[in-house]
Each structure stands twice: as C-alpha cells, then as structure tokens.
Amino acid sequence: MEITMIIVVALAVLVGLSLGLLGGGGSILVVPLLTYVGGLDPKEAIATSLFVVGATSLASLVGHARKGRVRWRTGLIFGAAGMVGAFLGGLAGGRIPGTFLMIAFAVMMIATAGAMIRGRKDRDGESQTHQHPLWRILLDGLVVGAATGLVGAGGGFLVVPALVLLAGLPMAAAVGTSLLVISMKSFAGLGGYLTSVSLDWPLVAAVTAAAILGSLVGVRLTSVVPEKALRKGFGYFVLLMGAFVLSQELPFPAAPIILGTVAVLATAAAICILGFKERCPLRPTTPVAVSMA
C-alpha cells in the first residue's frame, strides 16, 4: 500500500473517532480526506464515503438497538423515502461535474458546522404530541436522501432534527433511529453512483475498517470527553474545512474573499458565544421542563 493510502487509512480512524464521540459530523470529513489527501476523483470519493458512512452507521446501530433506542417502523418509513431520494441523487451525482459537486459539498459542510456550533435541543423529557402527516415525513425523507446521495454528506445533522420535529421522537430514539435511516440511504446513494463510477474496493474496505474501529473507541470515550465543548470545537474545524474546499474549487480571485468572510464570521461567533454568553443568539436554547400532570 502506498504511503498516501496509509495516511488516508490512519486519518479515517480519526473520522470514526469523531463519529463515535459526536454521533455524527465525522462523515463529512471523508470526502475531502479522500479527495485532497488520497487524490481520488470527487465522484469516486463521494461514492466511497457513502459506503464508509453506511457501514459505520450499521456497526453503531447494533449498540443502540440493544438499548431499545431504535424506532424501527418510523426508521423504515423515513429510510425508504430517503433511499429513493438517495438513489436519484446518486444517479444525478454521477453525471454532474466534480467541481460543482465539491462546491455543493462545501456548502453542506458550512451548514453542518453551523448546526454543530449552535447545538440542538434535547427533548428526551418532553412529550411529543405534534406528529406531522405521513406525507410530510415521506417528503422530508426524500429531500434529505437526495442531498445525501448527491454529495455523500448530511447524515445525522439532517436526519436527527427531522425525526424529532416531524416524527415526534425523543432525542435518544432519534439518534438511534437515524443510524438506520443513514445506513439505508447511504447504500441507496452508493447504488446510484455505481451505475457510472468504479471503486477501489481494497481501499474502501481499509478505510471502512479504520472508521469502524475509530467509532468503537469514540463510543467508549463519550463519558470522558465533554460533548458540548467537543461539538463546538469540531464545528469550527468543519467550518474552516468547508472554506478550504471552496477556496480549492472556486476561481482564485474568489478564494481570499471566501476565506476572509468565513474567518470573520467564525471570530464573531466565538466572541458572541464566549463574551455575551446567555444573550448570544448562537447559544442553544435551554429546554423547558414540561409537566406531565
């Protein structure tokens, strides 16, 4: 194995580690890792990431299922719609220029970073009585699946909020169920890409094994590392990575403007969160206890 591929596999352990610690977010680093470090074509990198994410999600799903945190009916309904969207997104992605796909991926990275920095409201203790119609759940699954199939990212940070808001699941069940949804639509998106893209399966297997190993270690570290601080720090890292990808794909004159804008926004967000604390709109809202009487 070439030294470059050894580096890619080693870094894939860190990707899996972040997945295990954060429950999401690490998969969004697989595409730039394979593209800029491994030297893969963007389409091949996206297709590979779909397999890595799908397999890693399945490995993590087992632990959540044993603890009763998977709502199978809801996950299968949402996942079925996501599979249709992901397959169509994969078909389209295999025929779209690689530069456009990487720009779309960078936008997804920046959106994901924003979600990570802001955090999400934990609804474990709340009663979920406002479930949306089935067609809304199917439509949302279709759209989320299409985004994942197209750029190979946008897993838990799109699926978990959708399951909480549309299906009415508590957070713990939404996180466990999202792994079922993510694995379903990842493999469907991969199927769409395989109609026009060939993969280096030994590399795919090595990266997947490394990511799964890292995710298992990450799960064990969840009780040691402060999750909120880690999530925010990782969010800023993903934000900078998104800016880097844009700087690589857009015409050179636009790169300094993009990097400068992202740096200013990141600095302003850090000042707001650290300096203004509770008054900062970027801080996650503290959930209000709901009386069950």
Side-chain angles (χ1 to χ4, degrees):
M1 183 181 293
E2 297 180 359
I3 184 64
T4 301
M5 293 300 103
I6 294 176
I7 294 174
V8 169
V9 172
L11 292 176
V13 176
L14 299 180
V15 171
L17 184 66
S18 65
L19 276 167
L21 279 169
L22 300 171
S27 59
I28 207 164
L29 297 180
V30 178
V31 173
L33 169 64
L34 294 173
T35 302
Y36 301 116
V37 179
L40 271 64
D41 176 80
K43 297 178 183 179
E44 185 179 354
I46 291 173
T48 301
S49 75
L50 288 169
F51 185 92
V52 173
V53 171
T56 306
S57 297
L58 277 180
S60 302
L61 175 65
V62 175
H64 284 274
R66 287 175 177 174
K67 296 180 180 179
R69 295 176 180 172
V70 179
R71 303 291 174 83
W72 295 99
R73 180 179 180 276
T74 301
L76 291 172
I77 292 174
F78 194 98
M83 288 181 73
V84 175
F87 183 77
L88 295 176
L91 282 177
R95 293 160 176 78
I96 293 176
T99 298
F100 178 84
L101 289 175
M102 292 305 294
I103 292 174
F105 181 83
V107 172
M108 183 72 75
M109 289 185 75
I110 293 173
T112 298
M116 296 179 75
I117 293 169
R118 178 172 173 79
R120 58 195 181 198
K121 185 184 295 185
D122 192 341
R123 296 171 177 250
D124 276 340
E126 298 184 17
S127 175
Q128 302 294 325
T129 59
H130 58 287
Q131 297 194 16
H132 288 256
L134 178 61
W135 70 267
R136 277 290 305 276
I137 298 176
L138 292 173
L139 178 61
D140 196 76
L142 186 69
V143 173
V144 171
T148 300
L150 186 65
V151 300
F157 287 95
L158 288 176
V159 176
V160 171
L163 291 173
V164 170
L165 297 175
L166 295 180
L169 299 187
M171 183 61 73
V175 171
T177 305
S178 74
L179 293 170
L180 173 63
V181 176
I182 291 168
S183 61
M184 291 173 66
K185 61 192 181 70
S186 293
F187 288 124
L190 174 65
Y193 264 98
L194 289 180
T195 61
S196 57
V197 176
S198 298
L199 298 184
D200 181 352
W201 287 106
L203 173 63
V204 173
V207 172
T208 301
I212 291 176
L213 175 63
S215 69
L216 296 177
V217 175
V219 169
R220 292 183 174 273
L221 293 177
T222 51
S223 60
V224 178
V225 181
E227 189 267 348
K228 290 184 179 179
L230 181 64
R231 187 180 297 277
K232 281 187 170 60
F234 192 78
Y236 285 115
F237 177 70
V238 172
L239 181 65
L240 293 177
M241 283 293 295
F244 171 77
V245 173
L246 283 178
S247 71
Q248 296 296 305
E249 301 298 332
L250 291 179
F252 179 75
I257 299 176
I258 293 171
L259 291 174
T261 301
V262 172
V264 169
L265 291 176
T267 302
I271 293 174
C272 177
I273 292 173
L274 298 177
F276 294 91
K277 297 183 177 180
E278 286 77 10
R279 291 179 293 171
C280 178
L282 296 177
R283 279 186 170 274
T285 306
T286 301
V288 179
V290 176
S291 175
M292 301 300 289

